[in-house]
């Protein structure tokens, strides 16, 4: 079994016998959905492979290979009359380099379109009687020449456009040196993106173009070109397309069983692998009307390939080559409401919710300083770092971070925000690693008092609470190599503050599992000024009545949760229960909790 990690060529997958999860049953649904469709998914979610599947299914030049490519797949057993009935043209805007100068950007765009049209002409040279004329300065003219050639054949054109919003993503949230004004200029000038999509719309009115399928990450660009191209139907939220890109648990389970047998491992290894993949890769839902979660396919293939080759799990659950662009989360955290929303998403208290998802926002809204929750939460959803999670009692859409891979991005963003110096972050990580082995939190608490809490100012005191402290410790303690970390873990309808459960394959190392409960006291609650609080010893702080009450309350909760946690994970836990009480942003008191 060969895993198609990093491969988005359907023809190669099928002819070279790579592992392929059959999604061809959706082809008939796509046909019925409309003639010009927009389908959005986060990056690295298999959109390019989807387009390649459509290309091979509809390409008239591959009619002789239909049986070998599709015969044993769902659509091969029940093909639609449209198979192998189109001329296919592909545009991939991800290869168009967004330049700083609008003239250079326009040239890059037109060069790509011209190259695509030339490739089209070469591929169908035996079917085209009219010679397509390429205008090096104007790809719109070249495209119209191609339409003339197409009209003289018995076939019609199927246009596939990949990463249509690449310009908006790169210019507005990625490469900061590119002026957003250049992007706006590219939309408004002659021969611009808007003009190109206007031509696509015109081509569908009896000029040879019959179908268009567009993929992207967000609806940002679509809003900006609406006046030129208002015919695309959005299908990305429809329940029937929720798993069009992505893997189901049952599909992964069967493959893991085969790998376990090949590696001569125990069935428990297969279950451990599935548990890891659920925590790190599962949790995506792309329809507000269902609660059907799917796995990120690229990350799953990365795991499966490593597991098959090495007969052990990958140490890093997120391959560096697959890391989601953190620049986009950085862009969001820099917005006026960005940081609080990121913190709220991380803690899920309360869960993020909206009355409706924003499905139209353009460059002006991206550049506007005043951005509300709807804009930010919607954008986080489109980027794949939030996912639908059911509805509230009043029918609002509820959102959650889908998994630990996405959670890591939030944690890293806040970690760098609160500790901007690399030396401080390195020191914190070394202290955390020592804590994993000893269970002694004191050195880390000292660090929090002396370094971490210094980034908070007086404004933060008014909104400080247990979540503030928990978030601070979570960013320092987060480690996805050794732990499955969960904030607000549900335990029989109650929620634990923070759990750190050792990954199954890492139990060979001398580290502990941890279960935290966090409490917070204002300085006024203990009748101290910041200076007086700093002067007191740990024992003196613990002797204060409000602190003793919080520690007692925390101990009761931890012991109550302990049995629930052990019943969930079995007797393999090396569990340390830890109570943490913060006194303002000045001092941190902690203790290990055990049964009397």
């Amino acid at each position: 079994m060969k895993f198609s990690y990093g491969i988005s060529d359907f023809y190669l997958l099928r002819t070279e016998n790579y592992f392929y999860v059959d999604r061809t049953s959706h082809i008939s649904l796509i046909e019925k959905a409309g003639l010009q469709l927009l389908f959005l998914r986060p990056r690295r979610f298999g959109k390019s492979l989807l387009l390649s599947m459509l290309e091979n299914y509809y390409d008239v030049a591959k009619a002789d290979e239909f049986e070998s490519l599709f015969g044993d797949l769902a659509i091969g057993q029940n093909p639609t009359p449209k198979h192998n009935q189109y001329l296919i043209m592909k545009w991939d805007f991800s290869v168009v380099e967004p330049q700083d100068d609008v003239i250079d950007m326009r040239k890059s765009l037109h060069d790509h379109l011209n190259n695509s049209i030339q490739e089209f002409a070469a591929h169908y040279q035996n079917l085209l009687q009219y010679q397509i004329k390429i205008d090096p300065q104007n790809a719109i003219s070249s495209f119209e020449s191609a339409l003339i050639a197409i009209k003289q054949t018995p076939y019609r054109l199927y246009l596939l456009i990949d990463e249509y919003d690449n310009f908006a993503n790169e210019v507005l949230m990625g490469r900061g040196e590119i002026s957003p004004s250049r992007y706006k200029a590219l939309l408004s000038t002659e021969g611009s993106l808007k003009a190109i999509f206007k031509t696509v719309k015109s081509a569908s009115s009896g000029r040879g173009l019959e179908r268009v399928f567009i993929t992207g990450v967000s609806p940002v660009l679509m809003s900006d070109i609406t006046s030129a191209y208002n015919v695309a139907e959005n299908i990305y939220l429809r329940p029937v397309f929720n798993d069009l890109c992505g893997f189901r648990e049952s599909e992964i389970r069967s493959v893991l069983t085969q790998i376990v047998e090949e590696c001569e491992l125990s069935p428990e290894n297969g279950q451990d692998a599935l548990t890891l993949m659920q925590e790190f890769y599962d949790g995506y839902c792309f329809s507000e009307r269902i609660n059907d979660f799917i796995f990120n396919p690229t990350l799953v293939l990365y795991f499966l390939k490593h597991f098959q080759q090495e007969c052990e799990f990958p140490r890093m659950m997120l391959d560096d080559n697959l890391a989601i662009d953190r620049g986009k989360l950085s862009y969001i955290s820099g917005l006026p409401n960005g940081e609080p929303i990121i913190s709220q998403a991380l803690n899920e208290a309360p869960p993020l919710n909206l009355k409706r998802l924003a499905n139209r926002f353009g460059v002006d809204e991206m550049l506007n300083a005043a951005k509300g929750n709807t804009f930010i939460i919607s954008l986080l959803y489109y980027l794949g770092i939030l996912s639908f999670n059911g509805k509230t009692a009043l029918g609002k859409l509820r959102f959650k971070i889908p998994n630990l891979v996405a959670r890591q991005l939030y944690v890293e963003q806040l970690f760098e925000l609160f500790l901007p110096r690399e030396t401080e972050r390195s020191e914190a990580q070394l202290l955390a690693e020592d804590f994993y082995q000893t269970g002694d939190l004191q050195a880390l608490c000292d660090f929090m008092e002396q370094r971490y809490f210094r980034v908070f100012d007086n404004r933060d005191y008014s909104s400080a609470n247990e979540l503030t402290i928990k978030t601070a410790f979570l960013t320092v303690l987060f480690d996805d190599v050794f732990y499955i970390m969960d904030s607000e873990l549900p335990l029989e309808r109650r929620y634990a503050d923070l759990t750190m459960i050792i990954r199954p394959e890492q139990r060979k190392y001398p580290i502990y599992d941890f279960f935290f409960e966090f409490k917070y006291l204002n300085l006024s609650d203990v009748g101290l000024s910041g200076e007086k609080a700093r002067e007191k010893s740990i024992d003196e702080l613990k002797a204060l009545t409000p602190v003793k009450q919080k520690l007692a309350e925390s101990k009761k909760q931890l012991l109550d949760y302990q049995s629930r946690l052990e019943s969930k994970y079995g007797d393999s836990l090396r569990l340390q229960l830890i109570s943490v009480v913060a006194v303002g942003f000045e001092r941190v008191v902690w203790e290990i909790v055990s049964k009397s």
Side-chain angles (χ1 to χ4, degrees):
M1 181 164 40
K2 298 189 298 184
F3 290 104
S4 53
Y5 167 67
I7 299 175
S8 57
D9 184 340
F10 180 86
Y11 188 87
L12 177 64
L13 261 62
R14 297 295 291 159
T15 56
E16 296 295 328
N17 296 315
Y18 280 93
F19 170 77
Y20 175 68
V21 175
D22 190 359
R23 288 294 180 267
T24 61
S25 60
H26 292 76
I27 290 178
S28 60
L29 299 174
I30 292 173
E31 279 191 15
K32 296 173 183 176
L35 296 176
Q36 301 195 50
L37 305 176
L38 174 66
F39 181 71
L40 303 179
R41 284 296 182 267
R43 295 179 66 210
R44 301 181 181 91
F45 230 91
K47 300 186 297 293
S48 296
L49 178 59
L50 168 62
L51 289 183
S52 184
M53 176 189 76
L54 295 176
E55 172 195 353
N56 282 272
Y57 181 78
Y58 288 107
D59 189 355
V60 64
K62 293 181 179 177
D64 293 343
E65 298 179 272
F66 179 80
E67 187 59 33
S68 62
L69 292 176
F70 294 95
D72 62 337
L73 300 178
I75 197 68
Q77 306 300 311
N78 189 24
T80 67
K82 296 287 187 180
H83 79 86
N84 302 115
Q85 294 298 307
Y86 288 93
L87 306 178
I88 307 295
M89 185 180 293
K90 299 170 292 180
W91 296 348
D92 182 0
F93 287 174
S94 70
V95 304
V96 180
E97 198 62 26
Q99 308 291 334
D100 187 45
D101 184 82
V102 68
I103 296 177
D104 292 339
M105 195 184 298
R106 179 188 181 280
K107 183 178 184 302
S108 179
L109 172 62
H110 281 251
D111 285 347
H112 169 67
L113 297 182
N114 273 330
N115 290 337
S116 299
I117 295 167
Q118 284 184 315
E119 183 180 358
F120 172 86
H123 185 62
Y124 296 112
Q125 58 183 329
N126 295 331
L127 298 176
L128 301 174
Q129 299 177 354
Y130 177 84
Q131 183 176 358
I132 298 175
K133 298 174 183 178
I134 302 296
D135 186 338
Q137 306 301 318
N138 188 351
I140 292 177
S141 175
S142 305
F143 181 60
E144 290 180 332
S145 179
L147 292 174
I148 294 173
I150 292 166
K151 282 281 288 183
Q152 296 181 29
T153 73
Y155 306 105
R156 290 296 171 260
L157 178 66
Y158 200 142
L159 178 61
L160 304 173
I161 304 177
D162 202 7
E163 302 292 348
Y164 91 104
D165 57 340
N166 180 63
F167 294 102
N169 291 334
E170 290 296 318
V171 174
L172 298 175
M173 293 179 289
R175 296 168 50 181
E177 72 273 14
I178 301 174
S179 169
S181 63
R182 299 292 188 186
Y183 169 73
K184 295 181 73 173
L186 186 64
L187 287 173
S188 59
T189 56
E190 188 65 30
S192 67
L193 281 169
K194 188 176 291 187
I196 289 168
F197 277 96
K198 183 177 181 180
T199 305
V200 171
K201 177 182 176 181
S202 172
S204 66
S205 58
R207 299 181 58 205
L209 175 64
E210 185 170 297
R211 290 183 177 270
V212 181
F213 196 95
I214 304 171
T215 71
V217 172
S218 78
V220 174
L221 180 59
M222 192 56 65
S223 179
D224 287 324
I225 62 175
T226 295
S227 61
Y229 188 70
N230 57 359
V231 294
E233 296 183 63
N234 305 334
I235 64 169
Y236 47 87
L237 297 178
R238 297 187 186 179
V240 294
F241 297 121
N242 183 58
D243 65 347
L244 178 54
C245 292
F247 293 163
R248 307 183 193 97
E249 181 180 314
S250 59
E251 295 162 338
I252 296 172
R253 189 185 295 274
S254 62
V255 178
L256 287 174
T257 299
Q258 185 172 339
I259 294 175
V260 165
E261 292 175 354
E262 291 174 359
C263 290
E264 298 181 350
L265 300 172
S266 69
E268 288 75 18
N269 289 111
Q271 183 56 49
D272 288 344
L274 182 61
T275 298
L276 269 185
M277 296 170 81
Q278 287 170 332
E279 296 288 350
F280 283 88
Y281 303 153
D282 195 9
Y284 297 95
C285 180
F286 299 106
S287 174
E288 61 190 54
R289 292 162 52 191
I290 60 176
N291 252 343
D292 188 10
F293 297 113
I294 59 174
F295 292 71
N296 180 298
T298 304
L299 293 174
V300 165
L301 291 171
Y302 156 71
F303 183 100
L304 293 176
K305 184 175 181 178
H306 187 282
F307 189 24
Q308 181 196 48
Q309 292 178 342
E310 307 297 333
C311 292
E312 62 180 29
F313 309 154
R315 178 177 174 85
M316 305 300 295
M317 293 296 289
L318 176 61
D319 184 358
D320 287 341
N321 293 325
L322 295 172
I324 302 170
D325 187 359
R326 291 183 62 239
K328 295 178 174 59
L329 195 59
S330 178
Y331 160 81
I332 292 171
S333 70
L335 299 176
N337 300 324
E339 182 192 328
I341 289 178
I342 288 174
S343 295
Q344 185 179 344
L346 195 58
N347 288 300
E348 300 183 30
L352 294 171
N353 62 80
L354 294 176
K355 286 185 177 180
R356 63 178 180 82
L357 187 73
N359 59 10
R360 293 276 175 174
F361 42 85
V363 65
D364 287 330
E365 289 157 291
M366 296 288 287
L367 299 176
N368 188 341
K371 297 178 177 67
N373 286 15
T374 299
F375 172 87
I376 295 176
I377 295 173
S378 297
L379 188 55
L380 288 170
Y381 160 80
Y382 288 117
L383 294 176
I385 42 187
L386 279 183
S387 181
F388 286 126
N389 188 34
K391 296 183 179 180
T392 68
L394 293 178
K396 290 185 177 180
L397 303 174
R398 195 168 54 221
F399 297 84
K400 70 177 182 69
I401 300 174
N403 48 48
L404 281 177
V405 162
R407 183 176 295 274
Q408 178 183 349
L409 297 176
Y410 287 83
V411 169
E412 289 176 349
Q413 184 61 41
L414 292 177
F415 192 40
E416 293 185 8
L417 182 67
F418 294 147
L419 293 176
R421 294 168 56 186
E422 175 60 32
T423 54
E424 291 182 326
R425 295 198 296 272
S426 297
E427 182 181 353
Q429 289 169 340
L430 288 174
L431 293 172
E433 290 173 6
D434 184 65
F435 165 70
Y436 304 154
Q437 301 171 70
T438 65
D440 188 341
L441 194 64
Q442 188 56 52
L444 202 53
C445 288
D446 293 341
F447 176 86
M448 301 299 278
E449 293 175 358
Q450 298 162 13
R451 305 284 185 83
Y452 202 109
F453 292 162
R454 294 293 168 260
V455 303
F456 299 133
D457 58 30
N458 291 332
R459 291 173 300 174
D460 295 306
Y461 273 97
S462 62
S463 59
N465 55 28
E466 294 164 7
L467 292 179
T468 310
I469 303 304
K470 182 180 76 171
T471 301
F473 274 89
L474 174 60
T475 59
V476 172
L477 291 171
F478 193 92
D479 188 313
D480 63 344
V481 172
F482 288 117
Y483 290 101
I484 297 173
M485 302 190 67
D486 210 331
S487 174
E488 300 297 313
L489 174 72
L491 293 172
E492 298 181 18
R493 298 187 179 182
R494 301 185 68 180
Y495 293 88
D497 273 1
L498 177 62
T499 57
M500 298 175 61
I501 306 300
I502 303 169
R503 285 171 45 170
E505 82 284 12
Q506 303 290 40
R507 291 202 167 274
K508 57 190 176 185
Y509 296 111
I511 57 178
Y512 290 100
D513 301 278
F514 295 103
F515 185 11
F516 288 88
E517 188 70 24
F518 294 93
K519 301 297 179 184
Y520 177 80
L521 288 167
N522 289 310
L523 290 171
S524 58
D525 295 332
V526 294
L528 295 175
S529 65
E531 182 179 358
K532 291 295 184 182
R534 290 190 294 273
E535 291 175 353
K536 287 190 176 294
S537 68
I538 294 296
D539 289 338
E540 288 174 330
L541 287 171
K542 285 185 176 181
L544 296 174
T545 300
V547 175
K548 286 196 295 185
Q549 289 174 341
K550 287 293 184 181
L551 287 172
E553 179 184 336
S554 177
K555 178 178 181 178
K556 183 178 184 301
Q557 289 175 299
L558 285 168
L559 293 176
D560 182 40
Y561 285 134
Q562 181 179 10
S563 59
R564 304 168 195 258
L565 195 65
E566 290 174 340
S567 66
K568 178 179 175 68
Y569 289 101
D571 57 6
S572 63
L573 293 179
R574 299 193 286 269
L575 188 61
Q576 290 271 36
L577 307 180
I578 296 182
S579 173
V580 177
V581 177
V583 181
F585 290 143
E586 307 302 328
R587 304 300 301 276
V588 180
V589 174
W590 73 282
E591 65 179 18
I592 295 176
V593 171
S594 59
K595 293 181 179 179
S596 301

